[in-house]
Amino acid sequence: MNITLPVLQEKLKAWDGCALCKTANPVLGEGNANAKIMFIGEAPGQREDEQGRPFVGPAGKFLNELLESIELRREDVYISNVVKYRPPENRDPTDEEKEQCMPWLKMEIAILKPKVIVPLGRHALGHFFPKLGMTQAHGKPQKLKDIAIFPIYHPAAALHNGSFRQALYDDFAALKAFLDAAA
Ligand code: URA
């Protein structure tokens, strides 16, 4: 793909193709344009909407800790979302909203060409494997053409329910072992 991430960013700013564009600010992914690993969340929250950057609120703080736990920094990876605009009151994005935003995620993936994609939570997992549930799938790599898909619970799950915290650390440790073995 000839288009670059900064150009995609400008195109997203000029886009008005979904209902959420009227109530929220665009939030494209960010990170290392040469990253081999891409993390995909659900949709921006309040902080992300205010700053125009993904994962900068409480869930993002925990994501940073999880990355550090496996010696990765945000600058080493690329982080994005299924939906590029904050749904009102942080409600779940609808199927229609996910569908409308899908071309942006597809373009990010086409530009980045990651070797490993980590869907964070069920909305991102559903983009790749609509029939797969997170409870069975988390922490185990799947193959999708030449990309490894490594599903992990959404970091916000641990903010709402502490019992997810250890599962997230364990899945990040499993991700590190997978990346080390693949290197
Ligand atoms: N939750 C997400 O899924 N994405 C963000 O960018 C922030 C919180």
Side-chain angles (χ1 to χ4, degrees), residues 27 40-45 48 53-57 59-60 79-83 120 154-156:
V27 180
I40 305 175
E42 176 182 326
E48 290 76 20
R53 297 178 53 209
F55 280 98
V56 290
I79 301 175
S80 194
N81 281 302
V82 173
V83 169
L120 296 168
H154 195 292

Side-chain angles (χ1 to χ4, degrees), residues 39 60-77 169 172 176:
F39 291 79
K61 232 177 133 205
F62 186 39
L63 176 59
N64 293 348
E65 282 175 32
L66 290 162
L67 288 170
E68 277 165 28
S69 77
I70 60 165
E71 289 147 40
L72 281 176
R73 298 160 308 155
R74 280 178 78 115
E75 305 86 84
D76 300 323
V77 304
Y169 276 109
F172 268 73
K176 178 168 171 43

